[in-house]
Structures are given as C-alpha cells and as structure tokens.
Amino acid sequence: MQSSLGYKIAGLLFGAGFGFVLAAAKLHEYEVIHAMLRLEEAYTFLLMAGAIGVSMPLLWLLDRAKVTTLLGGRIALSRSKVTKANLVGGALFGAGWAVSGTCPGPAVVMLSSGAGLAVLTVLGLFLGLTLRDRQVARAGGSATIGDGEQRTASTGS
Amino acid sequence: VQIELDEFSDGRWPWWIAGPALGLLVVGFFLVSNQPLGASGAYAETAKVLTGRKDAVSWRVWYLVGIPVGGFLGVTVVGDGFEARTGYEPLVEAWNSNWVVGAVVLVGATVMGYGARMAGGCTSGHGICGTAQRSPASLAATGTFMAVAIATTFLLGLAGVK
C-alpha cells in the first residue's frame, strides 16, 4: 500500500538521522559490537540505556496526555503479550547478530561506510527475512509484527 | 574513566549524547507519524517491493534508504570517513580467508534475518522502540537476544575470534 508523501519524507529524514547517530557512535563497526558482547566495554549498553531512558518516560507522558500526532492521529503505544515466537526468534536473532557482528540498522551503515563484506550481511538479512515470510505464508499465516515495527492499521501508512 | 577517554580519543560521540539522540528520534517519529522505527520490518517491506508485490508499506522503504545515507554522512562528518575494507578484519585475521568469513557472515546474517522476522523485530524494533513502549513481548525478545548474543560471542572467542 502506498504511504502518503508526508510519511515517506518523515521516513527518509528519520532514517537518515538514525543512520547518522549509528555512524557517530561507530555502532556499524564489528569491533564496537563485539566489545559490548564480550562484556569488555559498557559503551553500547549505556548508549541503549540512554536511548530507552529518554524515550520510555517521554512516550509514557505523551500517551497519558493523549497527544495527537502530526500525521497518524492520537498517539498509540503497542504492548503485546510474550509469545514463543518472540523467544525462539529472539534466540536465533541473537546468535546471528553475534556471528555477523552487526544488526539490521547498522548493517546498511557498514555498507555505506565502505565495508565490502557487508554486501553479504545485507543479502543474508533479506534472505532470512524472506525465507521466514515464505514459510509463514505457506502455512497460511501472516508474519509476526512486533511492537517496534509498523502498525498497518494506523492511518496513512 | 578509561571508557570515557576511549570514546573521545577514537572520535565516537559519547554514549550520553548518542543514546539520548536515538531516544529523541524514536519519540520524534511517534510525534510525527505515530509509528515505531524498527529496521527489520523495513527490510521486509523493501523485500516485498523488490519481488514485485503490491502490498508493501512504502514509507518503510524510504526509511531503509535513509539509514545508509545518514550513515555515510555520519562517517564523513564525525567518523573516519568512507574507507574501502572488508569490515570483518577480526574474523579475517582469525580464519585467514575472505571466502570463509564471507560464507560465515552470509549464514549468520540469514539466521539473524530469519530470527528477526520470527521474533517480530530486532535491536532497533524490540530493543529500543518496543522497550520504550514498555512492551512485554519486546522486553522478552530483547532479553533473549542479548543473552544468546553474549553466549555466542563467548563461543566464538573459544574458536579463536578476537
């Protein structure tokens, strides 16, 4: 479904902002991610805590104040119950993340910073995601859309 | 103290700037679009477009295009600039072959993509955007992938990866 122009522009700009910060924090560097996962450097854990520490209370306040968003109507938070897929999928994701040393956002920054083998990382991500979508579609279901992904019910998207 | 010195000497933004900046982007996008900013879902929508399906959420594709553009700017303005390299130097050093590293990375990324789609999100989706909404599903997925990633990295260390 086609999104409105406003959504596309906002998506492009916020994507660029997101990528800029990832690069400024060097989260696209294998060494930075592995220094975190080897528990040798607190930097990335603190960064994530800083991101959540700012966004969690602000979203809570905005939700309580029933704020109307610019393009998407009244602000709505998603708070789904835990399913087995969250845990099994999370475990697979964690193993793949450790091996490839990057996750979906930083992977494309890795690529645009000149890392040649990141072509395979991005290709693998597309393969894995599509594989799962095909498998779910064959079983007659639809993909798990987590609380951090787009809500298609929202207006304009 | 050591960590802070490192941050400044290698040109990274300190965590207390970069972390809150990411948090404000998440909140800002809610204020504009009433949507969270998970990256793995953007891949899935882009894959739909690439395979000619008509039901893709098209703003997600623009989001995925924005990330490497902003990343390139960030690397140029704040970081060390664009540099042609493998990006996996520690793995290449451990296994001494770009082919082996490439194959391992491809398999790893495929498992990562499959897992992200199964879990319904990744580090940005569940880890930041879902957690920020106080979602039980996102908290559980985040705790799981963090724990498994740390354990897997430990195993890689046993296999000689620094």
Side-chain angles (χ1 to χ4, degrees), chain A residues 18-156:
Chain A
F18 196 72
F20 188 95
V21 177
L22 293 177
K26 296 198 176 175
L27 295 187
H28 63 295
E29 301 275 10
Y30 177 97
E31 285 89 344
V32 172
I33 298 303
H34 269 247
M36 162 185 60
L37 293 176
R38 279 200 307 268
L39 307 178
E40 286 176 2
E41 190 185 74
Y43 178 85
T44 309
F45 287 117
L46 291 169
L47 189 155
M48 281 190 78
I52 295 163
V54 165
S55 52
M56 192 190 271
L58 282 176
L59 288 179
W60 179 76
L61 278 172
L62 293 170
D63 185 43
R64 261 181 74 100
K66 300 183 171 62
V67 166
T68 303
T69 64
L70 196 59
L71 304 169
R74 185 204 180 291
I75 197 164
L77 306 186
S78 308
R79 304 185 62 203
S80 305
K81 289 197 184 114
V82 184
T83 63
K84 196 179 150 198
N86 293 138
L87 304 179
V88 178
L92 289 171
F93 175 79
W97 178 26
V99 171
S100 62
T102 190
C103 45
V108 279
V109 176
M110 213 176 161
L111 192 58
S112 71
S113 76
L117 285 178
V119 171
L120 297 173
T121 321
V122 173
L123 182 69
L125 277 165
F126 273 118
L127 277 176
L129 286 152
T130 307
L131 207 65
R132 173 66 187 172
D133 268 351
R134 294 274 157 89
Q135 185 191 33
V136 170
R138 266 200 309 276
S142 54
T144 310
I145 306 296
D147 293 338
E149 304 302 330
Q150 72 275 354
R151 298 185 286 239
T152 43
S154 179
T155 50

Side-chain angles (χ1 to χ4, degrees), chain B residues 44-132:
Chain B
E45 299 306 319
T46 305
K48 286 183 193 169
V49 170
L50 293 177
T51 52
R53 280 174 56 179
K54 298 275 185 273
D55 60 338
V57 180
S58 61
W59 72 265
R60 281 273 152 180
V61 179
W62 289 95
Y63 176 62
L64 190 63
V65 169
I67 298 173
V69 172
F72 178 78
L73 288 174
V75 164
T76 309
V77 176
V78 184
D80 309 326
F82 183 91
E83 188 194 350
R85 63 197 194 286
T86 65
Y88 286 96
E89 282 69 23
L91 289 181
V92 173
E93 207 173 300
W95 299 329
N96 209 17
S97 159
N98 284 353
W99 292 99
V100 172
V101 173
V104 168
V105 164
L106 181 65
V107 172
T110 304
V111 172
M112 171 165 63
Y114 184 93
R117 197 59 173 164
M118 186 178 188
C122 56
T123 355
S124 53
H126 279 316
I128 296 178
C129 299
T131 303

